[in-house]
Amino acid sequence: MEIGAIIYAFVLAILFFSGAHAATFTFTNNCPYTVWPGLLSGSGSAPPASTGFELASKATSTQNIPAPWSGRFWARTGCSNASGKFTCATADCGSGQITCNGAGAIPPASLVEFTLAANAGQDFYDVSLVDGFNLPLSITPQGGAGGCPSSSCPGNVNSVCPPELAVKGPDGGVIACKSACLALNQPQYCCTGAYGTPQTCPPTNYSKIFKGQCPQAYSYAYDDKSSTFTCTGGANYLITFCP
Ligand SMILES: *[C@@H]1O[C@H](CO)[C@@H](O)[C@H](O)[C@H]1NC(C)=O
Ligand SMILES: *[C@@H]1O[C@H](CO)[C@@H](O)[C@H](O)[C@H]1NC(C)=O
């Protein structure tokens, strides 16, 4: 083989064995207001190229994330830099900046969670309201194989949030809804202690409020069966805020 062909074969081998597939995430803001997506890698995954950005109403932004990767996305609302420090009314990451720089969402926050497989293997994804709710969102796979269902949380939990879970904005409207675990901190809501297994932690009157608005989303810690979705074949993903 000539040297060029050897180098070419070597590069292909590296790409193959390192699973150098990247998923393209397209973020679309269908809300009538600006949102500020936040991105956080799980432990062991490289940080995304951007850990936070502004997304105007009706705007779209894309980001490529090399697989394997795990992490989560959310959207901050009601953000302002008026004090000279960037802060948000909901799902703030506390960085004081538009980028979150490795910080996660302060609950309550609606989350989308991903585990991307190397080599176009099986990806897992879900919408989670385990950390509460701040706005509706959805995941729509693009391409891929093996089912690849959308998972959407289209309902507005804020509109049915009981007062003991509600977070109110300056004008008194409900801007986010805490999980019962966060607001009430009791084992039956947090699935801890005697409630620490899937068998002993059934849905509660509070988790059912979240499930009623968003049947495809995790409504509490052990809500697995109806809430995790898979897709193989190296799909790309559309994340829509206010689907
Ligand atoms: C926020 O204000 C500070 C101080 O004026 C400035 O340094 C920073 O760049 C601003 N950040 C944004 C996101 O506008
Ligand atoms: C949920 O159940 C608890 C315990 O029975 C009760 O105290 C609470 O008022 C109920 N809340 C709602 C919103 O149904």
Side-chain angles (χ1 to χ4, degrees):
M1 275 199 292
E2 61 166 298
I3 189 75
I6 291 171
I7 291 171
Y8 181 69
F10 188 67
V11 167
L12 279 186
I14 287 176
L15 288 175
F16 180 78
F17 287 111
S18 65
H21 151 73
T24 301
F25 286 88
T26 302
F27 298 88
T28 295
N29 179 11
N30 204 30
C31 304
Y33 46 82
T34 300
V35 302
W36 288 263
L39 300 81
L40 176 67
S41 293
S43 62
S45 287
S50 170
T51 58
F53 56 92
E54 180 173 319
L55 194 60
S57 179
K58 306 302 170 195
T60 286
S61 175
T62 61
Q63 183 157 172
N64 292 325
I65 297 193
W69 183 82
S70 71
R72 49 176 54 180
F73 312 128
W74 66 96
R76 294 161 286 174
T77 65
C79 301
S80 157
N81 198 40
S83 66
K85 191 170 166 250
F86 186 78
T87 57
C88 303
T90 74
D92 199 353
C93 57
S95 65
Q97 301 172 3
I98 290 186
T99 53
C100 286
N101 311 329
I106 299 167
S110 316
L111 302 173
V112 297
E113 303 179 308
F114 280 89
T115 301
L116 302 178
N119 298 318
Q122 188 174 45
D123 297 341
F124 292 82
Y125 51 94
D126 63 76
V127 174
S128 174
L129 305 181
V130 175
D131 283 342
F133 173 96
N134 70 323
L135 84 181
L137 41 66
S138 67
I139 303 167
T140 307
Q142 301 177 307
C148 304
S150 296
S151 180
S152 183
C153 171
N156 185 2
V157 178
N158 293 339
S159 66
V160 294
C161 186
E164 59 272 36
L165 307 187
V167 177
K168 292 184 174 166
D171 66 359
V174 177
I175 57 171
C177 190
K178 292 178 190 171
S179 68
C181 174
L182 180 67
L184 308 172
N185 192 25
Q186 291 175 14
Q188 69 271 35
Y189 302 129
C190 300
C191 299
T192 53
Y195 297 86
T197 69
Q199 292 71 35
T200 56
C201 198
T204 64
N205 56 350
Y206 289 108
S207 74
K208 285 175 184 166
I209 294 171
F210 290 83
K211 202 72 180 171
Q213 291 298 307
C214 294
Q216 297 174 337
Y218 271 89
S219 62
Y220 77 105
Y222 286 132
D223 199 8
D224 311 28
K225 289 188 211 80
S226 56
S227 311
T228 297
F229 299 92
T230 62
C231 183
T232 57
N236 297 315
Y237 294 95
L238 173 63
I239 310 297
T240 306
F241 303 111
C242 303

